[in-house]
Amino acid sequence: MNTTLTIQEKLKDLRVEHGLTLEQLADQTGLSKSALGKYENDDYKDISPFAIVTLAKFYHVTTDYLLGVSEQKITQTQS
């Protein structure tokens, strides 16, 4: 069975993988702690394109991965 994680689950898993609290993530990304908490919550309404790009760059994952378009997690580095 192929189970795809939701964007909320992916964001929380990435934060936990990096050993960060919401406060630490907010300090390091410039996004607010309250917004980050809402993004990880199942009842969030919207996540801005700016936040998606910021978090993808911070975690070194693709925006498509976060959005569920692709299961390719790692960004390709350019030589």
Side-chain angles (χ1 to χ4, degrees), residues 13-15 21 28 42 47 50 62 68-69 71 74-75 78:
D13 285 353
L14 286 166
R15 180 176 56 78
T21 64
Q28 293 184 37
D42 284 337
I47 180 169
F50 175 80
T62 64
V69 175
E71 287 305 307
I74 305 299
T75 58
Q78 295 179 352

Side-chain angles (χ1 to χ4, degrees), residues 32-46:
S32 76
K33 178 182 171 185
S34 64
L36 291 167
K38 287 179 185 175
Y39 298 157
E40 291 183 10
N41 192 329
D42 284 337
D43 67 354
Y44 89 102
K45 300 291 183 215
D46 273 325

Side-chain angles (χ1 to χ4, degrees), residues 3-70:
T3 306
T4 304
L5 296 177
T6 66
I7 188 171
Q8 299 94 330
E9 292 168 326
K10 289 176 183 180
L11 290 172
K12 185 168 186 175
D13 285 353
L14 286 166
R15 180 176 56 78
V16 171
E17 268 180 35
H18 284 79
L20 298 169
T21 64
L22 283 172
E23 187 171 292
Q24 291 168 325
L25 182 58
D27 288 343
Q28 293 184 37
T29 61
L31 300 170
S32 76
K33 178 182 171 185
S34 64
L36 291 167
K38 287 179 185 175
Y39 298 157
E40 291 183 10
N41 192 329
D42 284 337
D43 67 354
Y44 89 102
K45 300 291 183 215
D46 273 325
I47 180 169
S48 74
F50 175 80
I52 289 284
V53 170
T54 299
L55 291 166
K57 284 181 180 179
F58 179 80
Y59 290 128
H60 302 287
V61 298
T62 64
T63 54
D64 283 353
Y65 169 74
L66 288 181
L67 295 170
V69 175
S70 168

